[in-house]
Amino acid sequence: KSTRQYLRFKTEDNLKIQDLMDRMLAEYYEPQIGSDTAVRSCLSLLFTELFRDYKKSTSERMISAIESSISSEILSYANDRYRTSSLQDMANYFNFNVDYMGKLFKQKTGVIFTQFVKDKKLEESAYLLLHSKDTVIDIVNTIGYSNISYFYKQFKSRYGVTPDEYRVQATQ
């Protein structure tokens, strides 16, 4: 079950926000030449003012808690769905622009999403090679690689040996 989170703005004392809302409504209900541009401009100013107001009324501790929650949700999503999910899927899930999601992911993890996925898949494959009797092909399918030769190349690049050699070395 997915729950949505919302921001609540306490703006009753902010006269700038009230004025911007009045202007937008006037432009909307009494359109004139340039009303569309005026509404978009007021909307931009409204979001800026809401952000400023929110920053003033929210403590640093609360902001830190929100950012920490977002970070843990992103990491949880990535860890749970790395086999099949793309950056676009994750951006859609969190209702973020894909470019913003990529930057945020790198900021929170230190690596780009594709590197994170590659590392997770290789780590899981190494674990499965040591702790299961599955064939390499079964492991490749389990972790979500579609190209076996590419997997072999990535695995050898990371561990210095092929998956078969890795398994043999571990049992010696």
Side-chain angles (χ1 to χ4, degrees):
K1 180 183 169 188
S2 176
T3 58
R4 298 286 183 191
Q5 296 180 4
Y6 299 92
L7 294 176
R8 182 169 178 239
F9 298 97
K10 298 178 183 179
T11 61
E12 61 270 2
D13 296 330
N14 189 321
L15 297 177
K16 289 180 184 178
I17 290 175
Q18 291 175 13
D19 181 54
L20 286 166
M21 290 299 296
D22 289 341
R23 286 183 189 184
M24 282 193 303
L25 289 170
E27 290 290 343
Y28 181 78
Y29 286 112
E30 298 172 14
Q32 300 175 32
I33 295 173
S35 285
D36 289 346
T37 303
V39 169
R40 282 194 297 274
S41 297
C42 285
L43 193 58
S44 179
L45 291 170
L46 176 67
F47 282 126
T48 301
E49 195 58 38
L50 285 171
F51 177 72
R52 288 175 180 165
D53 203 59
Y54 181 74
K55 284 291 265 186
K56 279 188 248 174
S57 66
T58 306
S59 69
E60 288 299 318
R61 199 168 112 211
M62 178 67 84
I63 292 170
S64 178
I66 291 168
E67 287 180 358
S68 177
S69 174
I70 290 170
S71 296
S72 62
E73 285 184 45
I74 289 170
L75 286 174
S76 177
Y77 179 94
N79 281 314
D80 292 346
R81 296 176 177 91
Y82 68 90
R83 287 180 198 95
T84 58
S85 187
S86 68
L87 185 61
Q88 181 68 58
D89 294 336
M90 186 163 52
N92 291 344
Y93 181 83
F94 287 103
N95 295 315
F96 290 150
N97 172 284
V98 70
D99 293 333
Y100 176 75
M101 184 81 252
K103 289 175 187 170
L104 183 62
F105 190 86
K106 183 168 185 198
Q107 177 188 11
K108 299 301 179 189
T109 64
V111 294
I112 62 173
F113 183 76
T114 53
Q115 184 65 47
F116 176 87
V117 168
K118 183 172 108 176
D119 291 346
K120 290 292 288 182
K121 286 181 177 184
L122 291 173
E123 288 166 14
E124 184 177 2
S125 67
Y127 177 85
L128 290 172
L129 286 166
L130 298 180
H131 297 94
S132 79
K133 299 215 182 288
D134 293 346
T135 67
V136 174
I137 292 171
D138 289 339
I139 290 171
V140 168
N141 290 329
T142 299
I143 62 171
Y145 269 99
S146 57
N147 184 325
I148 294 170
S149 60
Y150 180 73
F151 166 75
Y152 267 86
K153 182 180 176 184
Q154 294 300 311
F155 192 93
K156 186 163 185 170
S157 174
R158 169 88 179 259
Y159 294 103
V161 292
T162 67
D164 301 307
E165 293 167 340
Y166 185 84
R167 182 177 261 168
V168 169
Q169 286 178 359
T171 58
Q172 293 178 353

